[in-house]
């Protein structure tokens, strides 16, 4: 065990920090769930790509930097420390890209990855359907083979960023006689094809962070299929592993929030200590963020030595989503009667971001596989309990 | 950056684990409970044969000269098998303390080789604990007095036994009189030494709690796979699954906290004491959660004397406040994070 950064890693951190100090916008961008904000965030992705920072773990040939996971963690720590903009293309860069690298053809990698790295193509996910949420194997949206095309009909829902995104990746039923997780295929498609209707869905904060997508005989070339026909479930599970496992929520995010929470508590301490449970919650928050960082480093080091991400990916998802809730609930309790103020309220000052974070934290235990589904996975695959 | 243990460390751990699986079965622990001393000479001798007592005695005194990281692995096993012996008090804490006494102290030569070969028991009295474990069997007691270190023979102390709900614990109130003759280190040296003992002891308890948490989880898994209701193993019901999954999450996220503490302590990092307190809090929480959930999964069986769960559960409850209760360790963490000028946030994890 050696918990020190190498000279090279320290130099890398300095380089990241210097670039971010030069380039992170001084004014926060508008929300990427608004049209203008989306455009601002797309431009930021382009700027990151200009410095080769948009996808640091990818190979250089497709727009990355060839970083290992420790360097990725360092990059992320600096990124959150600098309060840099949220990543509008995270579904593509962190979730689709690892899958594409594992299952895609050379042609597909060359076609999709560089444009993803620059933000020219922003990606949305197409998993959930009205009848297929936690039970994802109940997917019905069909893709019928017609020559060298699939003809897609049906509906996807809760598709994050889909209102303004360019492309979608998801699972479709290519074998009409199949059931459950058989007969599903992983398909990539541009969202401007004829026959696609996108209906924005307003979220808790009033913005349109996700959308329903209707497909009416949408023709997609077979070359847009990832891996074999019928292999979609296996491919999708790999994506889900990345999502829950490591890359969706890097620890820097929570450490930065924990630090802000400690500051917030100290500013309000005189009033707040009348409720000692708040001080305790702040303490728990900081310890939780540290634990999450340590667990992630441990996983990264095991992967570097040839290990695999297994069901512990599910423990991660439960842990960070519950931690995020704890931190934002605690912030709301500290802010007291002002916590409800909208960010643009004249007397809100800079506290509005806590409300934003609080609302978003509510979704954490639901998206990327509900925490109940994660507990089933842990119980069955990690602890070996019998299936229901 | 390498957050994994060395192959050699893991191999030693595995050997100890195999040994304890055979030599420390629950039936045997129950037999030892019934003895007056609560300790087994035979078991202690076998543990010495495994090399555990020599683990952190320097090589010049007949030991192996290993340190905090090795002990974290071994203490997890001692917890998992609920070994009824204050082994790490002698072989880890006393060895560490004696080794760091001023070089002219004859005590080192007299006791370190005996620790290494397993023939000495040394008890430790520190003000954070109201009682001294295993004082009745101790050949020597190392006692705190106003930050001084005193080495006291057993016939120089008056003991009164305080039974614990945990049958393996042997707790004693120790009355003694400090004198120039018993003092082996003055306060100016002793202060730092006692801080070192406290941190290592709290780390040892953290690692044992991780082992206990895992054992109680395993017992819960076994029970829920075997016990049938409504025609199915109860482990197939989500309400039961989720109880145990929550424990797995707590253990998974307590482990690296404990490992960081061990590494930072071994390398004299400035934040080591804070990391130890964090480790103690995280591991104790995991252990208590595991006790509660495993008990619930066991149903009424969990409330019986017969079920083995009790020996691990009671140990976990008792160790929660050993070497600093939660208030003590929370205060240490709070004083750090709420202090002016403390650097928190991303990138500060390994300081």
């Amino acid at each position: 065990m050696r918990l020190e950064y190498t000279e090279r890693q320290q130099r890398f951190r300095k380089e990241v920090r210097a670039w971010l100090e030069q380039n992170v916008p001084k004014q926060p961008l508008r929300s990427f769930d608004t049209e203008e904000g989306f455009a601002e965030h797309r431009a930021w992705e382009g700027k990151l790509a200009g410095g080769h920072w948009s996808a640091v773990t990818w190979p250089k040939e497709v727009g990355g930097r060839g970083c290992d996971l420790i360097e990725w963690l360092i990059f992320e720590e600096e990124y959150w420390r600098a309060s840099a903009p949220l990543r509008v293309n995270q579904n593509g860069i962190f979730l689709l890209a690892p899958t594409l690298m594992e299952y895609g053809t050379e042609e597909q990698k060359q076609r999709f990855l560089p444009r993803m790295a620059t933000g020219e193509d922003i990606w949305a996910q197409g998993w959930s359907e009205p009848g297929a949420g936690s039970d994802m194997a109940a997917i019905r949206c069909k893709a019928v083979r017609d020559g060298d095309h699939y003809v897609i009909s049906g509906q996807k829902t809760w598709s994050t960023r889909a209102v303004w995104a360019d492309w979608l990746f998801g699972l479709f039923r290519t074998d009409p006689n199949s059931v459950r997780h058989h007969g599903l295929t992983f398909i990539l498609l541009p969202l401007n094809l004829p026959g696609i209707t996108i209906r924005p869905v307003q979220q808790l904060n009033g913005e349109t962070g996700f959308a329903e997508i209707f497909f009416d005989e949408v023709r997609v070339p077979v070359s847009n299929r990832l891996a074999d026909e019928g292999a979609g479930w296996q491919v999708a599970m790999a994506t889900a592993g990345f999502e829950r496992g490591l890359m969706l929520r890097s620890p820097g995010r929570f450490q930065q929030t924990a630090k802000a929470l400690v500051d917030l508590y100290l500013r309000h301490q005189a009033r707040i200590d009348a409720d000692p449970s708040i001080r305790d919650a702040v303490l728990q928050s900081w310890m939780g963020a540290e634990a999450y960082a340590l667990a992630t480093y441990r996983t990264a080091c095991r992967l570097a030595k040839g290990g695999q991400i297994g069901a512990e990916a599910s423990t991660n998802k439960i842990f960070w989503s519950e931690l995020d809730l704890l931190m934002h609930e605690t912030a709301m309790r500290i802010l007291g009667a002002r916590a409800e103020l909208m960010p643009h309220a004249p007397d809100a000052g800079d506290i509005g971001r806590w409300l934003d974070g609080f609302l978003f934290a509510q979704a954490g235990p639901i998206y990327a596989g509900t925490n109940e589904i994660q507990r089933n996975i842990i119980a069955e695959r990690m602890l070996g309990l019998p299936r229901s | 950056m390498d957050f994994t243990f060395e192959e050699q460390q893991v191999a030693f751990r595995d050997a100890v684990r195999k040994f304890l699986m055979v030599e420390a079965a629950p039936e045997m622990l129950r037999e030892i409970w019934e003895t007056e001393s609560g300790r087994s000479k035979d078991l202690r001798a076998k543990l010495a044969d495994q090399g555990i007592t020599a683990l952190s005695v320097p090589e010049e005194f007949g030991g192996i000269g290993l340190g905090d990281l090795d002990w974290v692995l071994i203490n997890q096993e001692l917890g998992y098998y609920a070994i009824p012996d204050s082994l790490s008090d002698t072989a880890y804490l006393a060895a560490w303390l004696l080794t760091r006494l001023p070089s002219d102290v004859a005590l080192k030569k007299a006791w370190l080789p005996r620790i290494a070969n397993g023939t000495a028991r040394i008890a430790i009295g520190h003000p954070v604990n109201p009682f001294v474990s295993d004082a009745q069997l101790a050949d020597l007691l190392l006692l705190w007095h106003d930050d001084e270190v005193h080495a006291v023979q057993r016939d120089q102390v008056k003991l009164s036994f305080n039974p614990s709900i945990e049958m393996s614990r042997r707790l004693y109130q120790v009355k003694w009189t400090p004198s120039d003759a018993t003092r082996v280190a003055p306060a100016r040296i002793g202060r730092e030494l006692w801080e070192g003992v406290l941190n290592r002891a709290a780390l040892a308890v953290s690692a044992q709690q991780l082992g206990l948490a895992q054992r109680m989880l395993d017992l819960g898994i076994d029970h829920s796979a075997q016990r049938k209701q409504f025609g199915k193993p109860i482990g197939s019901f989500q309400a039961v699954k989720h109880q145990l999954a929550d424990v797995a999450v707590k253990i998974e996220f307590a482990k690296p906290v404990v490992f960081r503490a061990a590494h930072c302590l071994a390398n004299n990092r400035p934040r080591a004491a804070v990391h130890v307190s964090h480790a103690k809090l995280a591991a104790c929480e995991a252990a208590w959660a595991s006790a509660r959930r495993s008990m619930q999964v066991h149903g009424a069986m969990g409330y019986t004397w017969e079920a083995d769960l009790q020996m691990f559960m009671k140990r976990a409850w008792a160790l929660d406040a050993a070497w600093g209760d939660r208030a003590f360790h929370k205060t240490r963490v709070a004083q750090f994070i709420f202090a002016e000028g403390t650097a928190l946030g991303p990138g500060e994890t390994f300081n």
Side-chain angles (χ1 to χ4, degrees), chain A residues 76-330:
Chain A
E76 287 283 313
E77 284 170 357
E78 292 303 315
Y79 194 87
W80 289 100
R81 188 179 169 276
S83 301
L86 294 174
R87 303 297 302 275
V88 69
N89 212 10
Q90 68 168 358
N91 288 334
I93 290 171
F94 296 131
L95 309 182
L96 174 59
T99 314
L100 205 52
M101 286 185 217
E102 194 169 333
Y103 294 98
T105 62
E106 265 321 296
E107 186 274 330
Q108 286 174 326
K109 289 180 207 173
Q110 290 304 329
R111 182 173 158 212
F112 294 117
L113 291 172
R115 290 178 58 85
M116 194 190 292
T118 56
E120 287 163 276
D121 292 338
I122 307 279
W123 287 79
Q125 301 189 81
W127 306 123
S128 296
E129 296 179 8
S134 283
D135 183 10
M136 205 169 82
I139 280 172
R140 290 206 324 217
C141 196
K142 63 180 179 186
V144 179
R145 184 76 177 256
D146 178 20
D148 51 4
H149 280 76
Y150 288 109
V151 182
I152 299 182
S153 298
Q155 185 186 348
K156 291 284 175 187
T157 192
W158 316 135
S159 182
T160 303
R161 306 283 101 74
V163 183
W164 291 288
D166 310 289
W167 280 75
L168 177 118
F169 61 98
L171 275 192
F172 300 87
R173 193 164 292 282
T174 40
D175 178 356
N177 299 317
S178 65
V179 289
R180 307 297 299 159
H181 51 276
H182 303 285
L184 297 171
T185 299
F186 201 110
I187 295 174
L188 319 170
L189 59 96
L191 283 167
N192 61 1
L193 290 176
I196 292 180
T197 308
I198 295 171
R199 195 180 75 82
V201 178
Q202 232 180 353
Q203 296 183 320
L204 214 52
N205 62 3
E207 294 174 355
T208 49
F210 45 43
E212 289 180 293
I213 306 173
F214 299 90
F215 299 86
D216 182 11
E217 304 203 342
V218 177
R219 294 183 70 82
V220 180
V222 168
S223 58
N224 282 21
R225 185 186 74 206
L226 191 59
D228 293 339
E229 191 171 291
W233 183 262
Q234 179 200 351
V235 180
M237 285 302 109
T239 306
F242 293 123
E243 178 170 31
R244 293 190 297 258
L246 211 56
M247 301 211 116
L248 179 65
R249 292 289 175 255
S250 77
R253 178 188 186 116
F254 305 106
Q255 289 182 299
Q256 186 67 14
T257 305
K259 175 186 155 75
L261 186 64
V262 168
D263 291 343
L264 186 72
Y265 163 75
L266 289 172
R267 280 207 298 284
H268 294 265
Q269 190 177 6
R271 174 173 54 86
I272 285 309
D273 274 349
D275 177 354
S277 70
I278 291 182
R279 183 182 170 91
D280 194 58
V282 175
L283 204 64
Q284 298 289 354
S285 297
W286 180 76
M287 291 193 290
E290 287 287 294
Y292 185 65
L294 291 164
T296 309
Y297 268 93
R298 185 163 172 247
T299 304
C301 291
R302 285 155 129 193
L303 288 174
K305 288 195 162 178
Q308 298 248 316
I309 293 192
E312 77 263 26
S314 292
T315 67
N316 281 2
K317 205 257 147 168
I318 292 174
F319 193 85
W320 63 248
S321 59
E322 293 186 350
L323 171 64
D324 204 37
L325 270 177
L326 170 70
M327 292 199 287
H328 286 95
E329 283 170 0
T330 306

Side-chain angles (χ1 to χ4, degrees), chain B residues 281-331:
Chain B
L281 291 165
C284 286
E285 195 187 309
W288 274 36
S290 190
R292 179 80 275 284
R293 304 296 182 98
S294 192
M295 165 108 189
Q296 190 67 24
V297 165
H298 273 76
M301 270 312 289
Y303 199 70
T304 64
W305 194 263
E306 182 192 335
D308 288 337
L309 177 63
Q310 67 145 320
M311 54 184 68
F312 307 99
M313 191 159 62
K314 288 172 176 173
R315 174 79 57 98
W317 290 338
L319 288 182
D320 192 69
W323 291 98
D325 56 20
R326 294 199 201 193
F328 176 90
H329 288 289
K330 275 189 183 175
T331 303

Side-chain angles (χ1 to χ4, degrees), chain B residues 200-215:
Chain B
R200 280 166 182 83
L203 179 68
V205 172
S206 309
Q208 288 171 22
Q209 290 284 49
L210 283 182
L212 287 159
Q214 187 64 49
R215 182 61 174 269

